[in-house]
Structures are given as C-alpha cells and as structure tokens.
Amino acid sequence: MNGYGRILVFLCLADLIATIILISFFGAKEANPILEFYYSSVGLAGLATAKIWMNGLGIVLIEIAVVDNKKREGIYKGLVAFYVCVYSFLILVGN
C-alpha cells in the first residue's frame, strides 16, 4: 500500500472515530441509511463493524485491481485519489 492508500485508511478511521464521538456525545445521526440500520439494530459495535467492512472492501478492491502491476500504478493512484475525494466530499456534505 502506497501513501495514497495510507491516506485513505487514515481518512476512514478518522471518519469512524468522529462518527462515534458525534453519535455518542452530541446525538448526531448516521447519514448513510445502510449504516443507520446497523446502528439502530446492533448499536455502536454494529455501526463500527459495518463501516470497517464497507471501507475495507473498497480499499481491498482497489488494491487487488492493481497489485504488483507497474503499468497500473497510475490507475491505482487515480482510483485512490477519486475514492479520497468522494469520501471527503460525503463527509463534508453529510456533516
């Protein structure tokens, strides 16, 4: 995993931590209806597990798509940059 992948992992973890803090201490609601379902059904543990699985799946799929292929390095950087931009946008719009 290169620097872009690490940024993506950090962003996902920061979002998870911020979501847990906002829900626990400030009464915020999860904007994603799928994640809200897990939160209402199982609680914070369900929400955290679902967020980790959903984000992890995206990261793993990007990694699998370009593993050890120098020709695809540009594609990898583009996919990760796109994922980071979309994720950042959704965080800003959702909050």
Side-chain angles (χ1 to χ4, degrees):
M1 184 180 313
N2 66 16
Y4 292 106
R6 289 187 191 109
I7 290 170
L8 184 55
V9 169
F10 173 76
L11 184 63
C12 293
L13 289 175
D15 175 51
L16 174 62
I17 292 167
T19 301
I20 290 173
I21 289 171
L22 290 170
I23 288 174
S24 297
F25 298 111
F26 299 102
K29 293 194 174 217
E30 174 58 53
N32 182 329
I34 297 169
L35 295 175
E36 177 61 32
F37 167 76
Y38 284 108
Y39 174 66
S40 62
S41 300
V42 186
L44 282 176
L47 175 68
T49 303
K51 270 189 179 270
I52 290 168
W53 274 102
M54 291 173 88
N55 291 319
L57 179 62
I59 293 168
V60 167
L61 289 176
I62 290 171
E63 290 286 332
I64 288 172
V66 294
V67 159
D68 294 330
N69 191 337
K70 294 295 181 185
K71 293 179 184 177
R72 294 184 182 174
E73 188 171 344
I75 294 172
Y76 174 79
K77 288 179 181 179
L79 285 172
V80 172
F82 176 75
Y83 197 91
V84 168
C85 289
V86 169
Y87 201 87
S88 299
F89 176 76
L90 291 175
I91 289 171
L92 293 174
V93 171
N95 295 326

